Amino acid sequence: MPQAKFLQLAIPVPLRQLFTYAIPDALLEHSFTVGERVVAPFGHRHVIGIVMAIVDECEFAPNKIKAITNIIEHDQCIPQALIKLLTTCASYYHHPIGDVFHQALPVLLRQVEPPSIAPIIAWQCLPKTEDNAEVLSKLDNKRSKKQWQLYQLLSHHQQLTWPEIRTLGFNKAQLSALENKQLIASVEQLATPFQWHDDALNQENEFTLSTEQAVVVSAISQSIGQYSCHLIDGITGSGKTEVYLQSMTKVLSHHQQVLVLVPEIGLTPQTLSRFEQRFNVPIFLHHSGLNDKERLATWQNANQNNAAIIIGTRSAVFSPLPKLGLIIVDEEHDASFKQQDSFRYHGRDVAIIRAKQLNIPIILGSATPSFESLHNAIKQRYHYHQLTKRAAGSRQAKVSLLDVSNQTLQAGLSLPLKKAISQTLERGEQVLIFLNRRGYSPAINCQECHWVAECTRCQCPYTLHRGQGLLICHHCGSQKRVPAQCDSCGSVRIKPIGQGTEQIEEYLAQTFAQYSTVRIDRDSTRRKGELNKLLQQVLNKEHQILIGTQMLAKGHHFPDVTLVAMLDIDGALFSFDYRAPENMAQLIVQVAGRAGRASKPGKVLVQTQYPQHPLLQDLVNNGYQHFAKQGLNERQMAFLPPFGYQALVRADANYPSYPEKFLRQIATVNFSDCELAGPMPAAIEKRAGKYRFHLLLQAKTRQALHQGVTQVLQSLTNNEWQSKVRWSIDIDPIELSW
């Protein structure tokens, strides 16, 4: 009879440990492997557990150990390399290992009931015949323009799946129309391991590299097969994407896979489009815009080496890629790479860890590198490459400050700015107005008693959304109708305070009625495919005035935008957050990069009440590089990251005293090598009905910080307030206000 064995499982619960389970007699003959998924009882429910170890002995009494109830009979084991990465992440971020594995898996693989594995359906063009030639000739007109574009796209590729077609801006109606006309047909996509072939590269779309680009590509190509981190610091429009594409070619030609991380879904369509034009290889997407079955399909194809390229947002860093040869992190500075709840990892940092473990190169690209990455480049931990010239001969737009301290503003716009807008539109060019605040206005108040409509759950003003007739809290999502009179004194003199994108759109549409105005923010792009549709309309010059939030700040190419105006950026100049100036500078440079990207010269106007502020003067006159070096010097004197290391302990509860008392008890621990700040209320003390407090740990070395965090976790066993609060630990926090 085989010897009894036990399994150590990672279970998705908030406990930092593995759980031991017995193997039932019915499964003793099964050959268990590390990374396998099994069904195990936990409390009154059954959960998916990941096998982390198989042991012959157990320290607990046999009658106290539960047995697993089932195994998952699918070829969906987590690869050993990914297990190593996730274990490292759980240790570094001090997060429960079961939850780390749970979040790295697609939703359908976290369920006890095994998912039904449906075949992947793709579409391809049917051969041209006499019967469909006439139908095809009628497609090339304005009424069937999108159908014609979709047909052309499919004719250049062997097959395209629905997620790819949808991401590229087409809908089901256009796809069905081509099917009904018998021009295309759906087929079951064969899942075969990726192999590079002669026609996998479309050289017609390959650009000639500049000298700077060629040097970077050469350096990356020489490092294929070994770990190296390459920071590409290239001004906006300098051709970083072309460097990525030509660096990928050598990796793909060795039958290896490439992982491309982008910060937001909005950048996925243009990235996919560029890659589809260059490579005729299997490309899969991974982001929150896909449904559960589509994300499972991506996971499976990546795991089985069927995918050549994975393009995704931060969670795509956990894709199981057995032949991964290169990782690319585009816009590496972006805060969207940091997960801000639950498992608080940083996608860029995890990608670097993964590249080290696999001994492969990684590329970090940005026009405004984060201070941490610049510091590592200066210390020669990264290979530092600069692209200082724009591709195709276009010139970088000049940034000018508009002093509005003594001017009367209408809807937040000054008279000189309105004149510049008018002149640009008269030349037949496009204008982009940037305001990082959606809605009509950030607050409403009473003109009689100065009452402000505040969210009772957050103690923050409601944002007015006039188009919907609602007051919406942007912190907790609560809504209410716009009151007809003041809640305090009954006056009907209620007016909006400040500006949002909705108000700017209304004012410009009235002022420049002969031109088309479009607003691109989270409110106007809620429906699937709406963002792609609006961006395409802008490229087609259907709109002359663009108004948008941070969604338009990076990555997008608008060749006819020659004037960019930025409104209300002064808040960052006086923020308590030491990262605020860095974020402000990155935002200004990124938004400015949307101007003059083609042959037409561009101009950038930044409205400010403080044009003489040294931070703005340094950025405008000396550029981001000098600004960043000055910022690094300041941080070095204050021992702030990247010259120090931080961990933030957050706590919240229904009563304001509970989180403060919880953190105050932690602060009594004798931390030998860590400094403490707090407990202190969060910048927004009450959010979604919870009172929130912070305790910040800071150390001069990473080792000392982790020792301090370990002391915090050990002290919790004796903390009488632990059961009364919800708490979390954020290693390397980048957002101190939440």
Side-chain angles (χ1 to χ4, degrees):
M1 182 178 178
Q3 185 179 7
K5 289 186 177 181
F6 302 94
L7 302 176
Q8 290 186 330
L9 304 183
I11 300 290
V13 292
L15 295 170
R16 291 161 172 77
Q17 65 182 73
L18 298 177
F19 294 85
T20 302
Y21 283 82
I23 301 175
D25 294 342
L27 297 175
L28 284 175
E29 298 298 329
H30 179 76
S31 178
F32 286 93
T33 59
V34 173
E36 189 171 358
R37 296 181 305 124
V38 299
V39 181
F42 194 90
H44 300 292
R45 60 195 175 108
H46 283 77
V47 297
I48 292 292
I50 309 298
V51 177
M52 300 297 295
I54 305 160
V55 295
D56 296 331
E57 297 179 355
C58 176
E59 58 181 306
F60 307 103
N63 62 339
K64 291 188 176 182
I65 300 178
K66 294 180 179 180
I68 64 170
T69 56
N70 204 356
I71 56 175
I72 306 296
E73 295 282 1
H74 285 291
D75 184 22
Q76 292 162 347
C77 286
I78 301 176
Q80 297 303 307
L82 188 54
I83 290 175
K84 182 180 179 182
L85 175 68
L86 294 172
T87 304
T88 302
C89 289
S91 173
Y92 181 81
Y93 290 104
H94 295 270
H95 195 78
I97 189 168
D99 193 48
V100 171
F101 275 81
H102 187 69
Q103 294 198 36
L105 288 173
V107 171
L108 294 180
L109 294 187
R110 307 174 196 169
Q111 300 175 356
V112 172
E113 291 296 323
S116 56
I117 310 299
I120 298 176
I121 303 300
W123 280 263
Q124 63 184 24
C125 287
L126 291 173
K128 293 181 181 178
T129 63
E130 292 182 3
D131 295 333
N132 63 23
E134 185 178 349
V135 177
L136 192 58
S137 65
K138 294 179 180 178
L139 268 188
D140 192 9
N141 60 55
K142 288 186 177 181
R143 288 187 62 188
S144 308
K145 186 177 180 181
K146 293 294 287 186
Q147 292 179 34
W148 172 251
Q149 290 174 352
L150 178 54
Y151 181 82
Q152 290 292 99
L153 181 69
L154 287 166
S155 65
H156 285 92
H157 296 85
Q158 293 179 347
Q159 295 176 351
L160 286 178
T161 62
W162 170 237
E164 291 176 281
I165 293 171
R166 185 180 67 213
T167 302
L168 290 168
F170 301 96
N171 58 39
K172 277 284 188 185
Q174 292 148 4
L175 189 66
S176 299
L178 290 179
E179 274 194 298
N180 294 335
K181 293 172 182 176
Q182 297 184 347
L183 296 175
I184 65 172
S186 60
V187 294
E188 184 178 322
Q189 194 174 59
L190 298 176
T192 56
F194 162 66
Q195 289 289 319
W196 180 263
H197 48 85
D198 292 339
D199 61 345
L201 177 65
N202 184 359
Q203 293 182 331
E204 292 179 5
N205 292 317
E206 190 169 279
F207 292 91
T208 302
L209 296 175
S210 67
T211 303
E212 288 182 332
Q213 289 173 314
V215 169
V216 178
V217 171
S218 176
I220 295 170
S221 298
Q222 290 173 17
S223 66
I224 299 296
Q226 59 185 346
Y227 169 73
S228 58
C229 185
H230 299 265
L231 176 62
I232 302 179
D233 180 358
I235 63 172
T236 53
S238 59
K240 292 185 290 293
T241 303
E242 186 62 31
V243 171
Y244 302 157
L245 290 165
Q246 298 210 18
S247 300
M248 290 165 61
T249 302
K250 185 171 183 180
V251 175
L252 293 169
S253 66
H254 284 81
H255 316 292
Q256 291 181 302
Q257 299 167 298
V258 177
L259 173 63
V260 181
L261 299 181
V262 294
E264 296 175 2
I265 301 174
L267 296 180
T268 307
Q270 64 183 47
T271 305
L272 174 63
S273 178
R274 289 286 299 272
F275 288 13
E276 291 277 15
Q277 291 171 16
R278 183 64 58 85
F279 300 115
N280 186 17
V281 298
I283 301 175
F284 286 83
L285 304 174
H286 180 109
H287 55 71
S288 59
L290 305 177
N291 62 40
D292 292 341
K293 287 188 177 180
E294 290 168 346
R295 271 181 276 186
L296 175 61
T298 294
W299 197 92
Q300 289 173 318
N301 281 278
N303 194 25
Q304 295 164 7
N305 194 30
N306 301 332
I309 302 170
I310 297 288
I311 303 172
T313 47
R314 61 175 174 262
S315 58
V317 73
F318 299 119
S319 300
L321 295 155
K323 291 190 176 180
L324 184 58
L326 176 66
I327 301 175
I328 297 170
V329 183
D330 194 25
E331 307 292 355
E332 64 84 26
H333 68 278
D334 200 284
S336 300
F337 282 119
K338 176 74 173 181
Q339 175 79 15
Q340 295 291 6
D341 55 20
S342 189
F343 174 30
R344 300 172 186 268
Y345 66 93
H346 198 298
R348 176 200 63 210
D349 297 344
V350 173
I352 293 170
I353 293 171
R354 188 169 190 180
K356 278 184 181 177
Q357 291 182 345
L358 295 177
N359 204 27
I360 61 172
I362 179 171
I363 302 172
L364 310 178
S366 177
T368 53
S370 63
F371 283 12
E372 286 81 2
S373 294
L374 273 177
H375 176 66
N376 283 323
I378 292 168
K379 291 293 182 181
Q380 297 185 339
R381 299 182 188 127
Y382 298 169
H383 298 275
Y384 187 39
H385 311 284
Q386 287 185 282
L387 300 177
T388 59
K389 298 176 182 176
R390 279 191 161 186
S394 62
R395 289 181 297 171
Q396 195 168 13
K398 177 175 174 54
V399 179
S400 301
L401 300 176
L402 268 182
D403 184 358
V404 296
S405 57
N406 296 312
Q407 294 198 36
T408 301
L409 304 181
Q410 290 183 296
L413 279 72
S414 63
L415 182 60
L417 176 55
K418 286 188 287 185
K419 286 183 178 178
I421 293 173
S422 179
Q423 292 168 358
T424 304
L425 295 174
E426 288 171 1
R427 293 196 301 268
E429 298 163 358
Q430 291 173 309
V431 176
L432 185 142
I433 310 295
F434 176 85
L435 176 62
N436 205 21
R437 189 187 301 118
R438 61 192 176 92
Y440 190 86
S441 68
I444 62 169
N445 84 330
C446 172
Q447 301 294 292
E448 299 282 353
C449 69
H450 309 297
W451 164 84
V452 175
E454 285 191 345
C455 172
T456 55
R457 302 182 70 231
C458 297
Q459 294 179 340
C460 287
Y462 275 112
T463 299
L464 172 62
H465 288 253
R466 181 175 280 183
Q468 299 171 258
L470 292 173
L471 295 177
I472 302 176
C473 176
H474 286 183
H475 301 289
C476 70
S478 66
Q479 302 178 1
K480 62 183 290 187
R481 289 290 176 187
V482 179
Q485 58 189 62
C486 172
D487 286 358
S488 178
C489 71
S491 170
V492 294
R493 293 180 59 201
I494 297 176
K495 290 190 177 180
I497 308 172
Q499 292 79 36
T501 52
E502 196 178 319
Q503 185 179 155
I504 303 296
E505 178 191 26
E506 178 184 277
Y507 178 77
L508 289 175
Q510 293 173 355
T511 307
F512 302 98
Q514 67 271 41
Y515 301 102
S516 176
T517 302
V518 64
R519 171 169 52 93
I520 300 179
D521 56 21
R522 202 191 309 169
D523 296 324
S524 65
T525 58
R526 288 191 186 280
R527 290 189 300 174
K528 262 188 179 179
E530 192 66 23
L531 175 60
N532 297 340
K533 176 184 172 183
L534 294 177
L535 291 175
Q536 189 59 49
Q537 289 174 356
V538 172
L539 289 172
N540 294 339
K541 297 193 71 174
E542 295 176 33
H543 307 290
Q544 289 74 47
I545 304 174
L546 292 69
I547 300 144
T549 58
Q550 201 160 340
M551 295 177 72
L552 291 179
K554 49 192 171 287
H556 301 293
H557 179 69
F558 304 126
D560 287 294
V561 170
T562 57
L563 174 64
V564 168
M566 299 188 68
L567 313 181
D568 202 9
I569 54 91
D570 291 336
L573 300 174
F574 306 100
S575 173
F576 75 95
D577 188 349
Y578 68 88
R579 292 185 186 273
E582 175 189 2
N583 297 335
M584 177 202 69
Q586 290 168 342
L587 192 58
I588 290 176
V589 173
Q590 291 286 344
V591 176
R594 301 314 107 209
R597 293 176 68 91
S599 57
K600 302 171 185 175
K603 182 165 64 171
V604 181
L605 299 177
V606 179
Q607 285 195 167
T608 175
Q609 300 273 354
Y610 309 96
Q612 299 306 317
H613 195 287
L615 289 175
L616 286 176
Q617 287 294 321
D618 186 19
L619 179 65
V620 171
N621 295 320
N622 302 321
Y624 182 79
Q625 293 294 326
H626 187 271
F627 179 94
K629 288 176 182 176
Q630 290 294 106
L632 283 170
N633 290 337
E634 291 175 3
R635 291 206 193 168
Q636 186 172 18
M637 289 186 284
F639 297 107
L640 290 171
F643 302 96
Y645 303 91
Q646 293 180 336
L648 185 64
V649 185
R650 293 180 170 94
D652 63 58
N654 292 325
Y655 300 96
S657 61
Y658 288 2
E660 183 179 12
K661 290 175 180 177
F662 168 75
L663 294 176
R664 198 166 294 285
Q665 194 161 334
I666 292 176
T668 61
V669 175
N670 182 21
F671 296 100
S672 55
D673 295 317
C674 286
E675 296 178 341
L676 298 183
M680 53 194 167
I684 302 174
E685 183 177 352
K686 187 182 180 184
R687 184 169 185 257
K690 302 285 186 182
Y691 293 90
R692 307 176 312 139
F693 277 73
H694 292 170
L695 178 66
L696 186 67
L697 279 72
Q698 182 164 307
K700 292 183 180 180
T701 66
R702 205 181 293 276
Q703 182 181 5
L705 179 72
H706 286 282
Q707 287 174 350
V709 174
T710 301
Q711 286 180 271
V712 169
L713 294 172
Q714 291 171 348
S715 74
L716 294 180
T717 55
N718 300 319
N719 195 315
E720 59 183 305
W721 299 97
Q722 182 184 0
S723 60
K724 295 180 175 66
V725 303
R726 183 178 60 183
W727 61 273
S728 65
I729 293 178
D730 188 357
I731 306 296
D732 304 329
I734 65 169
E735 179 59 75
L736 301 179
S737 62
W738 291 100

